[in-house]
Every structure is written in C-alpha cells, then in structure tokens.
C-alpha cells in the first residue's frame, strides 16, 4: 500500500493537541528534548490533521498534532525563552482524520529505545571528537554529572559492557564496578565472586578493601579531606552515589596527619599543671581501664554563664513546643523537624562546653593525674581530664592507708563494703525514707525512662550492656534453654512503666524515645519478611544505633526488677543526671508526699526557698508554692539522685583497690565506656566524664 506524503510548513502557534494522539502526556519537563531540538534542529516531522476551532466569524483553521506532542511542547518552551522566533514554522506531514489514529499508534509502537550501553559509547565518541563535558551536557539538556557518569560507564571493561548487553549484569552492578579504572580488577572482582555475592554493596566492599570510607570515619572528619589531599593523599570518588562517597587509599598517611594534629592540640595543654598529657588516636574501654578517675568539684557558674544556661533552657523549651506542634499537625515537613533537631544538638553541645568549664581540680590533684586528648566518634576533639594511672593510684592508696586518713570519707562512704562485701547486684533493695512504695516505683519509672533515652543515644554503653548479657550467659550460671538461637529474650518495659507512672508519657524522656522509635519504624519495610535483608544492607554504624535503641527499650530499673546493680552501673556509665529529665512538679512528686517532706525539700534546695510562711500553708497552697520555687533548682528526691544505692560513688580521693565484687556488678565493664558523645535534652552531658567509681 502506498501513502503519499503531503508536507507543509505550519506556524508553531497554529499547532494544537489532538484527540487522536494515543500517548497520554503529563505536564512534565521537556528540558532535555528542548535542548536537543535547539542543538540539532527538529529531526522528525510532526504528523497533523486539520482541525477547525472557534465559532462563527472567530472560526479558525488549526492543525492538531497526532504524533509529536512532546516536540511541540519543547518548541513552545524554546519560543517562551526567546530561543525560537514568534513566527517560527514547523515542517509537518498532513494526514486525513481517518488515518490519524493509526499513524499515532504506529509511531509510538514501532520505536525501540537505544540500549544504555550505546548511549554510553555515543557520549564518549562526542568527547573523543573534542567536545567538552559542559558543551555536551548543554546540547543534550542533561547535567554535567550525568555526562560524567555516562563517560565513567563507557570506560568499563569491554567484556563487562558486552555482558551488560546480554543482560548478564545489571546497571547497579556496573556502577559499583566503576570504582576501579583497571579493567583487570573490574573483571576479577565480578567473575571471581560467587553468584550470591554480587550485590552492588558487596562489589564496592571488595574494590575498596584497605581503604578508608570518608562517610563513616572519625579520622577523616578530624583531619579533613582537603588537608589529606594537600599532603599527597589519593581520594577515590563514587560518582553514582548521591552523597558522592569518597574512599581514601592512604590510611597510613591519614593516621600520620591525625597524630600530628592531635599532638599539636595536646601540646597546648601541657602547661595546665597536669602530671602528664597524652594524645591517643584510639581510646577504647580496655585502654581506659588502666586509669581511675580523680574526683573533681564543680564551681558555681558565673553570672554570664548562668545567664547563657538559662537562655539555652528557654530555647530548649521553645523547641520542644515547636516539636510538639509538628507532632500534632496533620502534615509537617521533614526539613522542619531536622532544623529543630540540629538546633537541639547545637544547644546540647554548647551546654556541654559550659559544664565542662565548671569542672575544677586542685593543684595537688593535677599533680598526680593527667589528661588524654583523643578523637570522638564524630571527629571532634575529646579531652578526658583527671585520669590517674594505675601506678599512681596504688601509691596514693598506700599513702592513704599508712596515714589512716578518713578525712575524705563522706557520710555515704562505704569503704568496708568496697573491700569485701557482697556484690552490688546482690545487695537488697531498700525503699527510700519518706517515700511510699507507689511513689518509689513512680520515681523509678521516670529514672528508667531517662536511662532508656540516654542509652539509646550512647551506642558504646548500649553495646556494652548487650555484651554484658552475653557475658553473664556465657560465663555465669546455667539458665534454662530458650527458643531463640541467641538465648536472648528482649522484653519491652513500656507497659510496666506506664502502669506505675500515669504521667510518664508527658515526660521529655518518653517523648524523646517515642520520636527515635517512630523514626526507625518509618524506615522499616512494610513486610516483616523483608526486615532481615534490610538489616543486612544497613551500615555498621546504623546497626549499632538501632541496637542501642532496641536494647534501651528493654531497660527496667523498677524496684523488684532484680537488677539494681546493673541499672546503677549503666546510669553511672551514662552519667545520668535526673535533673535533666525530671522536675518536682505537683503531679510528679509533691502531691504524693506529706507537708513536712515538701518543706524539707525546700530547705534542702535552698534555705531561702522555705521562707514566706510555708509552715502555715495548707497542703494545696504549699504544693503550688513549692512547685514554683523548686522549678529550675535541679533538686531531686533521694531515689533519683546520682547512682542511688551504688557503692561506687565519688568523693574518695584515695580509692581502694579493685575488688571482685566490682567485677561482678558489671560497673567496670560499663563505666569505662563513658566517653561516647550524646545528644540529650536540657542539661544533658554530651560526653559524660569517667563515672565516679572508687576503683
């Protein structure tokens, strides 16, 4: 069958959409096509039919585009931008209406898309002809990065590209192999791998063995990519990662640069009166076990410092209100939540810096202790002051025994217990004086909630807590066999805590845990059967963060839970200060104790707070007045004070030798990990100092 073509030149303004066009076009972008038309001209004619529009005298002849609607839209875009003249005419093929539908179907069904490998090689040919990357990107309406990626793929091993054409390897796997420019390495990485071990992530791991991934390295953050490259270091960049992942091929050079930089920082502290100052790139729990903490005191903040702390508290409260408003809103932007979170982190870091400046040591204490300067998990400098070496600790303890000195013992000092009493975990629990069983449990629930949120943010302590479970199971007494192959049965404590503290959900700790849990829940695949594979693909850092949260949600520090020693050890390792998480409000405390105990609390928080005739007030008025006066004082009842009931408390300048009972209570296992950076609420320490264990 022969079809004669009737070609005519039609003004662009006379072209309109056609009902015969079988392709349904979205209102999407036609940037790339517009760039191609501008660079190459219109390569294919449009297919049109005559169509009259309007009525009466306004009736006009138009041409409906049955095939080529995207080209029409691209030319309109160029005309709007002044790239085509207003009277621009388009060469079209005119067909009768009865053929328009068939022509539209034929044009759209008879085409075969270019194979991606052909596109890679075509772009390479253009560059080989002398065209620049920016010029090619502009002429084809794509980004410079897109051109760079296609060139990178075109440079792969011909064997792998041939395999790609035969569907023997997919595009994601090809992109992973571009991390190496060596064809032999690319081929060996692919062909030597087991069929089940050819995921893009597995291929990247094999190609970067022995290299340092910048995204997860504290050393890289500390040294800086620019400084590393300036020293001659090579960086390999993954063009196909949206984050532009970078891999450093010189770990030895990176460590040398970090050592030099850290040593220079440590040198600035040698004139501070400390006996010794060390710079260490790595400082794990085993290394910290060589030291004991030297007791310190906190000076009172200056007027300027207190003013800044108050301002930080006010801003924190405002951010909490903003976060609550987001939670209550039907829709909210993740960017808004991220901005609140980032500002809260900045506030926590500034508050930590202020609290660090409040720590003081005497000249005598500095003369027998020292400082370690190291690198934190986020690549920032961490300074751990007041550490006593083992030999100095023994000498101090021997001197103290010879003198028979007891001047440093406080009223709660339990030296005899340290030197031979049963382990802390075996000590009987006692109810705080003046607190009913119900109130004791209520306060313990709030302490547990605070422990959970802080443990979820401190991966080192959380990991140690989980490892502690395994150690007890592996080396301790026999336990009944359980269904889990790991012999671990997590039990979430949320329902138990809610049952004893009906105000728990209003607490900051509960809200912080809830937000963290919901953030992870949103990331989990919908089907539980996919969870394990999803976990396998997570980075180690993400797995540890998730483990920290999950282990934190099992914490139960209620009376009767059977592990007061473990709870106290975790609290000490975290540097838990309940004043950051709880306040003596009417609902939380004052309504549950007698008047005499409220007045005692006022006197303890500050003698001036107990004035104004509080003795003569009725209970309701006293509760209201006390809640107002105690607000901001950071006063705590005895069950919530730091490490309640724990023998390993601060204050002993000459600590006793380590005892077997300390080992059994797990304090040494957990406490030495107290340098991990945290992000907590008002007053929370970003990196708690060494816990005040008297070891």
């Amino acid at each position: 069958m022969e079809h004669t073509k009737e070609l005519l030149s039609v003004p662009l303004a006379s072209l309109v959409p056609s009902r015969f066009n079988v392709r349904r076009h979205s209102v999407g972008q036609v940037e790339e096509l517009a760039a191609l038309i501008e660079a190459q001209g219109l390569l294919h004619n449009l297919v049109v039919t005559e169509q009259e529009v309007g009525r009466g005298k306004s009736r006009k002849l138009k041409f409906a585009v049955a095939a080529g609607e995207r080209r029409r839209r691209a030319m309109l875009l160029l005309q709007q931008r002044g790239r085509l003249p207003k009277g621009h005419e388009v060469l079209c093929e005119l067909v009768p209406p009865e053929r328009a539908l068939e022509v539209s179907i034929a044009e759209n069904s008879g085409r075969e898309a270019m194979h991606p490998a052909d596109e890679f090689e075509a772009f390479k040919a253009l560059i080989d002809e002398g065209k620049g990357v920016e010029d090619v990107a502009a002429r084809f309406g794509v980004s410079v990065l897109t051109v760079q990626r296609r060139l990178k793929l075109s440079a792969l091993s011909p064997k792998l590209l041939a395999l790609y054409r035969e569907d023997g390897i997919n595009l994601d796997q090809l992109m992973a192999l571009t991390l190496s420019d060596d064809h032999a390495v690319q081929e060996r990485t692919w062909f030597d791998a087991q069929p089940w071990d050819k995921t893009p992530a597995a291929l990247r791991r094999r190609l970067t063995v022995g290299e340092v991934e910048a995204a997860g390295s504290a050393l890289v953050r500390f040294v800086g990519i620019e400084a590393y490259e300036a020293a001659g270091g090579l960086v390999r960049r993954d063009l196909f990662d949206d984050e532009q992942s970078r891999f450093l091929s010189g770990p030895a050079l990176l460590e040398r640069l970090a050592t030099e930089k850290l040593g220079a920082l440590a040198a600035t502290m040698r004139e501070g009166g400390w006996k010794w100052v060390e710079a260490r790139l790595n400082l794990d729990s085993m290394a910290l076990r060589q030291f004991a903490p030297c007791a310190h005191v906190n000076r009172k903040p200056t007027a300027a410092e207190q003013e800044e702390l108050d301002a930080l508290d006010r801003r924190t409260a405002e951010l909490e209100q903003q976060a609550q408003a987001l939670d209550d809103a039907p829709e909210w932007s993740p960017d808004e939540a991220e901005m609140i979170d980032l500002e809260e982190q900045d506030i926590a870091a500034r508050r930590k810096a202020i609290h660090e400046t409040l720590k003081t040591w005497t000249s005598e204490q500095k003369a027998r202790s020292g400082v370690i300067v190291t690198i934190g998990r986020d690549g920032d400098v961490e300074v751990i002051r007041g550490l006593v070496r083992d030999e100095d600790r023994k000498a101090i303890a021997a001197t103290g025994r010879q003198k028979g000195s007891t001047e440093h013992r406080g009223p709660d000092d339990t030296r005899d217990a340290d030197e031979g009493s049963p382990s802390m975990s075996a000590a009987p629990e006692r109810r705080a004086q003046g607190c009913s069983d119900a109130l004791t449990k209520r306060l313990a629930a709030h302490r547990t909630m605070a422990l959970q949120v802080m443990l979820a943010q401190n991966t080192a302590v959380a990991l140690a807590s989980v490892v502690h479970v395994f150690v007890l199971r592996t080396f301790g007494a026999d336990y009944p066999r359980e269904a889990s192959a790991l012999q671990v049965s997590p039990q979430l404590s949320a329902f138990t805590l809610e049952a004893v503290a009906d105000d728990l959900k209003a607490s900051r700790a509960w809200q912080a845990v809830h937000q963290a849990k919901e953030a992870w829940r949103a990331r989990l695949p919908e089907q539980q059967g996919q969870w394990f594979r999803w976990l396998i693909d997570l980075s180690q850092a993400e797995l540890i963060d998730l483990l920290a949260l999950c282990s934190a949600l099992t914490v139960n520090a209620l009376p009767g839970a059977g592990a007061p020693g473990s709870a106290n050890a975790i609290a000490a390792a975290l540097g838990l200060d309940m004043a950051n998480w709880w306040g003596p409000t009417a609902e939380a405390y004052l309504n549950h104790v007698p008047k005499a105990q409220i007045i005692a609390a006022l006197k303890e928080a500050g003698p001036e707070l107990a004035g104004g005739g509080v003795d003569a007030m009725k209970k309701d008025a006293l509760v209201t007045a006390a809640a107002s006066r105690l607000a901001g004082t950071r006063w705590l009842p005895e069950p919530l004070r730091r490490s309640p009931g724990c023998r390993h408390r601060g204050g002993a300048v000459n600590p006793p030798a380590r005892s077997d009972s300390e080992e059994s209570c797990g304090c040494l296992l957990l406490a030495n990990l107290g340098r991990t950076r945290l992000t907590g609420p008002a007053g929370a320490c970003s990196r708690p100092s060494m816990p005040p264990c008297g070891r």
Side-chain angles (χ1 to χ4, degrees), residues 587-600:
E587 296 76 16
Y589 180 79
L590 299 173
N591 284 337
H592 305 279
V593 295
K595 285 180 56 177
Q597 201 161 331
I598 297 176
I599 295 172

Side-chain angles (χ1 to χ4, degrees), residues 447-672:
R447 181 170 180 259
T448 300
M449 204 70 238
L451 271 175
Q452 287 190 1
V453 65
M454 290 191 69
L455 191 61
Q457 296 166 341
N458 192 320
T459 54
V461 177
L463 186 59
S465 303
V466 175
V467 172
H468 189 209
V469 174
F470 283 91
V471 170
L472 292 175
R473 283 293 182 90
T474 304
F475 301 101
D478 292 334
Y479 287 83
R481 297 184 61 83
E482 299 176 9
S484 171
L486 294 178
Q487 297 291 290
V488 175
S489 300
Q491 295 182 0
L492 301 183
S493 58
F495 294 112
T496 302
L497 301 179
E498 287 183 70
V500 299
D502 54 9
D503 62 334
L504 196 60
K505 285 191 174 181
S507 69
R508 286 182 292 180
W510 179 283
Q511 293 167 10
V513 169
H514 177 75
Q515 291 174 4
K517 186 176 178 182
E518 289 304 311
W520 277 106
R521 189 194 302 277
R523 294 183 59 186
L524 282 169
E526 185 175 351
Q527 301 296 326
Q528 288 191 16
Q530 302 173 4
W531 287 4
F532 183 77
R533 174 55 57 187
W534 180 79
L535 290 170
I536 289 295
D537 291 336
L538 286 182
S539 67
Q540 185 180 24
E542 288 180 304
L543 274 176
I544 292 177
D545 286 340
L546 181 54
L547 174 62
L549 175 64
C550 293
S551 60
L553 293 177
T554 67
V555 171
N556 186 345
L558 291 176
S566 174
N568 290 333
I570 294 174
L574 292 168
L576 175 65
D577 185 353
M578 281 303 298
N580 299 328
W581 304 97
W582 182 92
T585 63
E587 296 76 16
Y589 180 79
L590 299 173
N591 284 337
H592 305 279
V593 295
K595 285 180 56 177
Q597 201 161 331
I598 297 176
I599 295 172
L602 289 170
K603 292 179 179 178
E604 186 174 340
E608 70 281 1
L609 301 179
V614 293
D615 292 338
M617 290 182 180
K618 292 185 178 180
K619 176 68 179 290
D620 292 344
L622 178 59
V623 166
T624 302
S628 175
R629 297 182 186 188
L630 289 174
T633 64
R634 300 179 65 83
W635 177 87
L636 295 173
E638 193 274 338
L640 295 185
R641 293 175 187 175
R642 188 179 296 272
S643 301
C646 180
R647 296 179 289 102
H648 306 290
R649 308 176 86 166
V653 177
N654 300 328
R658 185 179 302 160
S659 66
D660 293 338
S661 60
E662 287 175 314
E663 298 284 357
S664 64
C665 77
C667 188
L668 291 177
L669 175 64
L670 296 174
N672 284 321

